[in-house]
Amino acid sequence: MADEKKAKKAPKLADAATVSIDPATRQMVAHAQKLGIETVFDRAENMKQCNIGVQGTCCKNCAMGPCRLPLPKNGIEGEDERKGICGATANTIAARNFVRMIAGGAAAHSDHGRAVAEVFLSAARKEGDYQIKDIPKLMATAPHLGVETQVEVDGEMQDRDVYEIALEVGEAALKEWGKDEGELLYLKRAPKPLYDKWTKEGVKPRNIDREIVEIMHRTHMGVDQDYKNLMKQGTRAALADGWGGAMLATDLQDIMFGTPSPLESEANLGVMKEDHVNVIVHGHEPVLSEMIVAASQSPEMIALAQKHGAKGIQLGGICCTANEMLQRHGVPPAGTFLQQELAIITGACDAMVVDVQCVFQSLANVAKCFHTHLITTHPIAKMEQKNVIHIEFDEHHAMEDAKKILTMAIENFKNRGSEVMIPNYKATQIAGFSVESIQYHLGGTFRGTYYTLNDNIINGRIRGVAGVVGCNNVRSKMNNAHIEVVKELIKNDVLVLTTGCNAIACAMEGLLAPESAAAFCGPGLAEVCETVGIPPVLHMGSCVDNSRILLAATEVVNAGGLGKDICDWPVAGSAPEWMSEKAIAIGQYVVSSGIYTIFGGTLPTSGAPVFHDHLCKDMEKIYGGMWDVEPDPLKHAHKMIAHIDKKRKELGIDKARERVLMDMEARQAIDA
Ligand code: SF4
Ligand code: MSK
C-alpha cells in the first residue's frame, strides 16, 4: 500500500484530437504520444497555472515575500486591506510586474537590434561576409539618423560613398542604445501630434538601455509605488522598443539583407522533405541564418548533400527566424512556436539551429530521442543538456560557420531512424509585404504614397485596418483564436497586417493566398484585393517588424484624408494568443502610439482593477490608444470592428461605407 502510494502517478496526456485546429499538429502530437515523447501540450495538462500569478498580484521582489494578493471574492471591496508585507498595494504589485514584462520584452527586441547593429558595422567596415545590399533603403534611413547622403563638391551636391554612409549609419544606430543626452532619433518619424503628445507626457525615451535599466530600478523593493508613474516608465521603455531597438533591427536588416517584397512560398510541417537534408532554423536573429541560406544554395553544399544520398537541402523555419528567412528568400516556415518540438518528432530533422527567444529547453530532450543535431549558436543562449552542440556565431567567419553547420546536418542524414513521419499538410502563401512594397502595390513606384489605401478606407470598401500579431499559447487551442479573429475581420472588410506566429498560422490556413479574398472577405475588401492582386492578410515579417506596422500607420496619416494622427484613423491591434513578455512591450508601444489594442486569453492585471482601468480607460485619454482583453475570438474581432466604426464616425466617413456596401436590391431601388 505504501509502495503504491509512493508509485509516481503517470503524467496526463493532452487530447491530441483537440490541441489545435491544425491537422498536422494533431497528427504529430498523437504520433509523439505513441512514441512516448512528451511535448508542450502534455506538459500543459500537468502544470496548473497559478491563479494569483495570472491576476498579476504576486510579488517576489524581496525575500520577505513572496506576497500574494488575490482579488477578494467580493470584488475590490476591502481594497485597503490588500497589501504586501511592505504595504505595496495590488496596483503597485501588478504595475511593477507589468512594467518588468515590458522591460523583458523591450530588452529582447532591442538586444536583437544591437546585435544586428554590430554586424552592420562590420559590414560597413567590409570586415566579414556581410554586405550593404539595399542601397535605396540605406539612403532612406540615413537622414533619420542624422547622416548626410550627399556632399558638396565644387558647389555641386554629389552622392557620398555608400560604405562611408553605412559606417556613419551603423555608428549613429549603436549610439541609440547608450547616448548620454537627447532623445531617440526615430521618434521624429511619428506624426507630429503624436510626438508632441509624448513630449507633453514626458515619455520620450532618452536611450534604449537606460529606459530598461530604470524599470529594474523603479521596481526594486521600495522605489516607485505609484502605478501611474510606473506606467510612464513602462511607456518610455516600450517606445524605446517600438520606435527604437525593434525599428533599428528592421531597418538595418533590410539594408544588409534586402527589403522584403512579395514572394511565394509554403507553410507547415509538410514543407520538410523525406529525401532531402532538412535543416530547421529557429529563433529571432537572422544574421547566421542568412548565411545558412546562402551556403545551402552553394554548389559545394548541394554536391555534398547528394554525395550523402540526399536529393538536396531543404531549409525550413520556426518562429521569427522563419519569418525573416521567408520574407527575403522564400524559405518556408515549418511551423509556429508550438510546433518546434514537432519538427524534430518528424524524425526527418537532420539539424535544428537555434539562436535567441522562444526556444524550448525541451528541444534537447526531444532531440535525444532522434538523430537530430540541436545546435545553439548564440553566446547568450546556451542549453545545459549534454546532447546540445554549441557553435558560436561570429560575423567575421559567418559563412564558414554556416558551412560547418550544414556539413554536420548533411553527414547526419544517413543516421535517420525508421520512424520518419512528415505530415502531408502545407499551404501556399504570399509573404514579404514591407512598408515600401505595400506602397508600390497600392500606389505604384511613381506615386509613392498610401493614397490608394486611404481612398479605399474613405470610400468604405476597406472598413479599416487591423494589425493581428503574436504568439501561440498552449493554454488555448492552437491557432483557433488567431484564425477566427482574422477571418471575422476580413469578412467584415477589415484589411489585416500580420507578423510573428499569427502570420505563420494564417499562412498554414491559406489566408495569405490571394484566392482567400474571394473565399473569406466581405465584398469591399474582396474587390480591392482582387483589383490590386494582394491577399487580404499581408505578412509584414517577424516580431521586430511590428515596427513596419507603426510606419505603415504613419504613412496612412501622411497620405492625408484620415486625420492628423495615428489615433484618428480606423486601425486596431490584436494579439489573440499572446504569451511572451515581448507581446506586452509591443502592446504598450502600440497603445501609446494611439492604437486600440486587444489581447486574447488573460492580462496579468485582473487582480488590480484600478491599474487595469488605467490601461484600458485612462490610456485612451492620454495617447488615443488603449488596452482591452477578450478571450472569445468572435467578440474579440467585433470589439476591434466597433473601434474601427467609432473612428469612421469621428472622421465623418461612416456614411460612405453604408453607401458602398448597399446590396443589389438597394442599388436597384436607386436605379429605378
Ligand atoms: Fe512583499 Fe513588498 Fe517584498 Fe514585494 S517588495 S515581496 S510586496 S514585502
Ligand atoms: S516568435 S514572440 S512566439 S510571435 Fe516571434 Fe512567435 Fe511570439 Fe515568439
Side-chain angles (χ1 to χ4, degrees), residues 284 319-320 337 358 470-471 500-501 543 579-580 582:
H284 283 76
C319 283
C320 284
F337 171 67
C358 301
C471 326
C501 288
C543 293
M579 64 86 206
S580 83
K582 291 179 287 174

Side-chain angles (χ1 to χ4, degrees), residues 52 75 199 250 261 310 381 383 390 399 432 441 491 525 607 633 644 663:
I52 304 159
T199 307
T250 298
S261 59
M383 287 188 193
H390 186 71
M399 184 49 101
H441 256 83
K491 185 174 134 194
L525 180 60
I644 282 169
D663 60 15

Side-chain angles (χ1 to χ4, degrees), residues 59-62 64-65 67 84-86 88 93 96 221:
C59 179
K60 56 178 180 58
N61 291 9
C62 87
M64 296 192 289
C67 297
I85 291 173
C86 66
I93 291 174
R96 283 199 301 221
M221 197 275 166

